[in-house]
Amino acid sequence: MEHFICDLGFSALKWMHRQRKGRIVSAMQHEGGRLLIGDEALVLAGSSYLKTIEELVHYYPVFAERAAQEAEIATGSARLVVGLPYGVWHTEKDEPAGMVATLRKLLSASGWSDALILPQGLGGVRLYLAENPKPQGNILGIDIGFNTVIFTLYAPERKTIIHGDTFYKRGVHQMATRHLLPAIRKFAPSRSFTPVEISCLIEEGFIQYGFDRHDIGREISQAARDYVEVILRDIRGELLAHAAGKSSFETVLLFGGGARLIREHLSAGNVNLVILDEPEFANAAGFAVIAARAQQPE
């Protein structure tokens, strides 16, 4: 059975089919009775990104259909594999009227009668295990998106998720607004930045203000270190509170679009820190591994 992978987040949808893959910005805009999404919506004034889990679920079929068009695959001709943030998936996967059931109904009504819904965050862990089948100790997977941070503590020996959750409004956008922008405000004192511009700043490593260009590599590095330190501290606190004596881990996996932006500014501490290849597509690639092995998430 063929699988069509769609991993929709608050900044972009990542799709994979056979040897092809693509990315669609999670922007939308109603224009003249039509719903525009992706780059088509982004160029218009008043466009907005998906902001809530309710919006994510509601618009999932629309973005999946656009991805299918890009992948040149007919709706319903393959098994659709999608994901929801771990916290929502875990708490509502067995609820008849929960987000997982709602998403399945919406996808079915849109022509995707066969859909596998997985927890976002698990994909990157499974991808790593496919390439490193005998790791030492537990694995902490951290999926850093633009808006969310999803963490998953996984026990390879027992093949089970010990604990996981989703931090909303804690993604790389928080790194920029809370840690980076205050440090570079002096370079552009009267300028404001959109989310897309913030991502560009981190990728390019400089800020342009008029005819002056300022290198902000040092500020980005410090902001990344401060941000990751805070995130890891908060995750450890959650694990100690909810996983008790099972909260230890030997390996930390970083993936997601946020990892792509900050990967050059991180250093390993006393754990094995691994930044997965093509981190923005790591979760989708892991979904493909799970689907290919016909495994349900533990």
Side-chain angles (χ1 to χ4, degrees):
M1 176 185 296
E2 279 199 328
H3 297 93
F4 181 46
I5 314 297
C6 286
D7 180 27
L8 177 61
F10 292 103
S11 61
L13 177 143
K14 285 72 65 178
W15 63 263
M16 301 183 72
H17 181 242
R18 297 179 180 174
Q19 303 303 314
R20 300 179 62 197
K21 59 187 174 184
R23 180 180 186 273
I24 301 172
V25 177
S26 300
M28 58 183 181
Q29 170 68 291
H30 291 275
E31 178 79 3
R34 297 170 54 227
L35 175 64
L36 306 179
I37 65 172
D39 292 336
E40 191 178 23
L42 199 60
V43 299
L44 297 176
S47 64
S48 64
Y49 282 79
L50 299 176
K51 300 183 184 69
T52 66
I53 186 64
E54 289 79 11
E55 285 186 341
L56 191 78
V57 169
H58 179 75
Y59 288 105
Y60 224 125
V62 178
F63 280 89
E65 183 60 31
R66 174 62 60 83
Q69 293 172 4
E70 291 191 1
E72 299 179 338
I73 178 174
T75 300
S77 62
R79 189 181 200 191
L80 180 65
V81 182
V82 300
L84 285 176
Y86 178 83
V88 171
W89 180 90
H90 177 69
T91 58
E92 301 194 20
K93 59 185 172 68
D94 298 320
E95 295 292 329
M99 290 294 178
V100 176
T102 298
L103 176 57
R104 182 169 283 111
K105 291 177 183 177
L106 290 172
L107 292 172
S108 180
S110 300
W112 301 99
S113 58
D114 186 7
L116 176 61
I117 302 174
L118 300 173
Q120 290 172 332
L122 178 61
V125 175
R126 287 293 187 85
L127 178 64
Y128 176 78
L129 288 173
E131 300 169 350
N132 303 272
K134 294 183 179 181
Q136 296 294 318
N138 295 334
I139 296 172
L140 177 62
I142 305 178
D143 182 354
I144 305 177
F146 195 76
N147 186 50
T148 61
V149 172
I150 302 171
F151 68 92
T152 308
L153 182 62
Y154 189 83
E157 290 186 0
R158 290 182 286 146
K159 297 182 179 180
T160 186
I161 297 173
I162 298 173
H163 183 66
D165 209 344
T166 304
F167 292 157
Y168 293 95
K169 299 182 179 180
R170 298 293 306 277
V172 73
H173 184 256
Q174 185 194 60
M175 184 202 90
T177 56
R178 189 171 293 184
H179 299 284
L180 178 60
L181 289 184
I184 64 174
R185 182 63 64 191
K186 59 188 176 183
F187 298 133
S190 62
R191 183 179 171 186
S192 60
F193 297 91
T194 67
V196 173
E197 288 175 327
I198 291 172
S199 295
C200 291
L201 283 179
I202 299 172
E203 286 188 279
E204 294 172 351
F206 67 85
I207 183 172
Q208 184 86 31
Y209 189 64
F211 293 102
D212 297 321
R213 175 179 290 191
H214 304 279
D215 187 305
I216 57 172
R218 184 176 61 181
E219 287 81 3
I220 293 173
S221 296
Q222 186 60 53
R225 287 192 293 268
D226 293 343
Y227 167 75
V228 172
E229 181 180 343
V230 170
I231 289 297
L232 289 178
R233 183 190 65 204
D234 291 348
I235 290 175
R236 287 193 182 100
E238 287 290 312
L239 293 178
L240 288 172
H242 298 283
K246 302 176 182 178
S247 62
S248 63
F249 49 86
E250 298 293 329
T251 301
V252 175
L253 305 180
L254 287 177
F255 51 99
R260 176 179 58 84
L261 294 176
I262 65 178
R263 65 184 304 167
E264 302 301 328
H265 311 287
L266 299 177
S267 59
N270 55 359
V271 297
N272 179 29
L273 177 63
V274 179
I275 301 178
L276 298 181
D277 293 336
E278 294 189 280
E280 189 170 18
F281 284 89
N283 201 61
F287 282 178
V289 170
I290 297 172
R293 295 179 178 181
Q295 294 177 334
Q296 295 291 331
E298 293 86 355

